[in-house]
Amino acid sequence: MNTTPDVLVIGGGMAGIVAGTIAAENGLEALVMRTGQSATAYSSGAIDIIGYPPEGLALKEYFPEIELPFKTPIDGLRAILSLYPFHPYGIIGLKAEDNESIEYVIAHVSESISWLKERLAGSCAALVGDLDRNIFPITALGTTKPTCLLQETMWSDTLNAHPDNVLIFAGFSGHSEFDAQSAMRAYLESQLRTGEFPHKIGHCEVEIAPFGKPYNISSIELARHFDHEGSVDHLTSALKAHVDKLGATHVAVPPVLGIEQASQNQAQIQKELGVEVFELISLPPSVPGFRLQRAMDRVFKKAGGTLLIGHQAKSATIKNDMVESVVAQSPRREVTISPKTIILAPGKFIGGGLEADETGIRETVFNLMPVTSSLYSAEDVRPTNHTNVYSLSPDGHALFAAGLAVDMDFRPIDADGIEHARNLYCAGSILAKYNYSMEKSGLGVALNTGFAAGRNAVKMVREAS
Ligand SMILES: Cc1cc2nc3c(=O)[nH]c(=O)nc-3n(C[C@H](O)[C@H](O)[C@H](O)COP(=O)(O)OP(=O)(O)OC[C@H]3O[C@@H](n4cnc5c(N)ncnc54)[C@H](O)[C@@H]3O)c2cc1C
């Protein structure tokens, strides 16, 4: 392992892998270290750019003309950039000439989306979607949510197109993570309320015993089972009886059609049954999130990057405004790395980039100053002061919008607005001033800030050499 890489990325979720890949594709030596599983791998695998403002529906009180959820990510970006200038998307726009920041950000997001779709084409997480519309895939609860990019196996463009369409929600016996009947009921209610097609909706349960196990089956077990050649034949014939009986045109299944083989399995079932089959968006842990992380890791390695799994950055030394070295711990050894630039992308509370206890919120590697959603220091603020009494509050929890404040290059800054070190950038959910759970923007912000931070690091290395 090279302990003097051009770019060291701390954290290998969406933000870190994108930043590392940008560096590697530009011919730099990029090292990404990841200590544990990422929020990216737990996520639904759908890449939201922006669906709602940070306070959810509360904004409608002040701007009744705003249509929520945003019909297109572009509408959402325009609203965010006008109303929340310090949102991470707003930080991207600070580099633009006067009055051009909105178009600059839209062009940046558009470029990052095309970049990602190209890299993931043909992979187990190949994507559909673009900036011109938010799509509304169905979740395993029978609800819908706005998103920009969806894995190809999870979308049907024709479902809502025709009044005669008939949809079946198909579940698996012994798989408690999905209840086809409840999903069917919730979806039917919402279709009748909105008047959208389809109105003919049924449900069924098929019996699959992955690896001989008929009960307590997890999604990941089903997906692994369907990765084996021929294993989808039984599912196809079991579905056929229900499809024929109900005259179904579409079949929705939980996202378990495979880790590597989902797309081939989908194509096979569709061909043999003559219906459209698609996967639903599921609750965590989700197979599509895992597929996304796996596919991204491959993109990074293919670009020539080095991925260290199980290494945790613990501390760093800073000299003359530059990070000189980072000490990391693996299960067997401690290693000191002296990179030219560092991108901090360790996620927020789930990834471990921020820690909170009754005394306040802390950043875990560099002891940087986290800020609240109002940009005050969060170091001495009790986390409970930023939560609502209702855990599922429609206004969200300001705690999720705490994080690091950055300059226009995505370098973390202190209370005086001075960057902590000239060669330290950060990206992803550790950033302050956005609330992914309310906004539906988590992977979009990670993609775009990773893209921006990666480019800034490349520029710095090039200018220094
Ligand atoms: C259940 C769930 C569902 C979600 N669904 C969606 C969705 O549908 N759409 C969407 O757009 N977003 C969704 N999100 C949000 C989205 O997943 C996150 O915002 C995004 O993945 C954050 O990416 P990241 O790279 O910043 O951090 P992460 O993906 O969390 O990656 C950070 C990585 O850094 C590692 N790390 C932390 N500290 C260190 C250290 N000191 N040294 C080395 N490594 C370290 C962690 O182990 C982790 O692997 C969801 C999130 C969750 C939790």
Side-chain angles (χ1 to χ4, degrees):
M1 180 185 82
N2 179 3
T3 55
T4 56
D6 294 317
V7 180
L8 167 67
V9 183
I10 299 172
M14 172 62 97
I17 290 287
V18 168
T21 306
I22 294 288
E25 287 183 350
N26 277 281
L28 302 192
E29 279 189 55
L31 180 66
V32 171
M33 66 170 61
R34 174 165 79 221
T35 179
Q37 199 52 284
S38 60
T40 302
Y42 280 111
S43 76
S44 73
I47 295 164
D48 306 338
I49 294 296
I50 190 85
Y52 295 92
E55 308 97 318
L57 297 171
L59 191 77
K60 230 166 156 41
E61 257 181 59
Y62 306 102
F63 297 96
E65 72 284 2
I66 274 193
E67 204 172 343
L68 296 177
F70 298 121
K71 279 256 171 315
T72 76
I74 291 186
D75 289 348
L77 287 171
R78 288 190 193 284
I80 289 289
L81 295 165
S82 315
L83 297 168
Y84 308 93
F86 296 113
H87 189 285
Y89 288 137
I91 304 284
I92 293 171
L94 293 179
K95 289 221 160 165
E97 304 285 318
D98 287 350
N99 298 326
E100 285 178 11
S101 65
I102 293 186
E103 298 318 314
Y104 183 90
V105 175
I106 291 173
H108 182 281
V109 176
S110 175
E111 190 186 353
S112 75
I113 285 178
S114 303
W115 178 89
L116 186 70
K117 282 173 75 176
E118 240 174 66
R119 301 298 175 287
L120 294 182
S123 77
C124 59
L127 298 168
V128 289
D130 53 50
L131 268 189
D132 292 332
R133 63 170 177 165
N134 267 325
I135 46 183
F136 288 81
I138 311 173
T139 72
L141 299 175
T143 56
T144 58
K145 67 161 257 181
T147 194
C148 179
L149 300 174
L150 200 61
Q151 295 181 16
E152 282 174 359
T153 50
M154 303 176 78
W155 181 237
S156 161
D157 224 354
T158 61
L159 176 67
N160 309 112
H162 201 280
D164 291 334
N165 282 348
V166 179
L167 170 67
I168 302 180
F169 284 86
F172 299 91
S173 313
H175 176 228
S176 58
E177 291 170 33
F178 175 62
D179 179 0
Q181 188 175 17
S182 308
M184 182 271 293
R185 279 199 187 132
Y187 188 61
L188 180 59
E189 265 173 33
S190 105
Q191 294 303 93
L192 294 177
R193 205 171 45 244
T194 60
E196 278 187 27
F197 309 128
H199 295 167
K200 298 169 193 162
I201 306 172
H203 70 95
C204 69
E205 197 166 90
V206 295
E207 281 186 20
I208 300 282
F211 312 109
K213 192 177 165 194
Y215 46 81
N216 283 342
I217 305 167
S218 69
S219 294
I220 205 85
E221 281 168 332
L222 280 166
R224 288 208 169 107
H225 169 74
F226 290 128
D227 269 354
H228 289 282
E229 207 185 329
S231 60
V232 86
D233 297 349
H234 177 60
L235 172 61
T236 312
S237 55
L239 283 176
K240 185 169 183 341
H242 298 285
V243 165
D244 290 348
K245 189 167 144 204
L246 295 177
T249 54
H250 293 75
V251 178
V253 292
V256 298
L257 285 180
I259 298 169
E260 297 291 340
Q261 295 298 316
S263 167
Q264 291 82 342
N265 289 339
Q266 178 196 39
Q268 182 184 330
I269 304 171
Q270 295 192 147
K271 188 165 166 232
E272 290 184 21
L273 299 188
V275 297
E276 271 200 47
V277 176
F278 62 93
E279 296 176 310
L280 299 162
I281 288 212
S282 80
L283 303 172
S286 110
V287 173
F290 187 59
R291 290 200 290 245
L292 178 64
Q293 181 73 65
R294 183 181 272 209
M296 293 298 301
D297 288 355
R298 287 181 185 152
V299 167
F300 173 61
K301 288 189 210 159
K302 191 171 163 210
T306 305
L307 180 60
L308 290 183
I309 293 179
H311 283 62
Q312 181 176 21
K314 295 294 243 186
S315 61
T317 50
I318 296 185
K319 217 174 181 181
N320 301 330
D321 299 336
M322 297 280 278
V323 177
E324 210 176 45
S325 62
V326 173
V327 176
Q329 183 71 50
S330 80
R332 281 196 295 274
R333 60 185 178 155
E334 194 176 87
V335 51
T336 301
I337 299 169
S338 305
K340 291 184 185 143
T341 54
I342 298 96
I343 297 170
L344 181 64
K348 205 165 267 186
F349 300 107
I350 295 175
L354 294 185
E355 270 176 8
D357 61 22
E358 64 277 10
T359 61
I361 301 176
R362 268 169 303 286
E363 184 280 316
T364 52
V365 182
F366 296 88
N367 201 21
L368 302 167
M369 181 192 72
V371 295
T372 64
S373 60
S374 326
L375 290 177
Y376 291 109
S377 167
E379 284 170 313
D380 300 321
V381 181
R382 286 173 77 95
T384 45
N385 293 355
H386 296 287
T387 56
N388 284 318
V389 276
Y390 299 112
S391 56
L392 290 175
S393 162
D395 300 333
H397 299 270
L399 186 63
F400 291 124
L404 300 180
V406 288
D407 68 7
M408 65 195 288
D409 287 317
F410 284 95
R411 288 182 296 205
I413 51 175
D414 63 18
D416 297 321
I418 311 290
E419 77 260 3
H420 198 70
R422 282 184 292 119
N423 60 345
L424 175 62
Y425 301 89
C426 74
S429 66
I430 194 165
L431 293 167
K433 286 303 275 180
Y434 87 108
N435 193 331
Y436 73 84
S437 59
M438 291 317 296
E439 296 176 20
K440 311 294 169 224
S441 65
L443 285 163
V445 166
L447 164 65
N448 278 282
T449 56
F451 206 70
R455 283 182 165 177
N456 291 338
V458 169
K459 186 162 174 265
M460 180 171 195
V461 172
R462 287 205 174 133
E463 281 173 1
S465 54

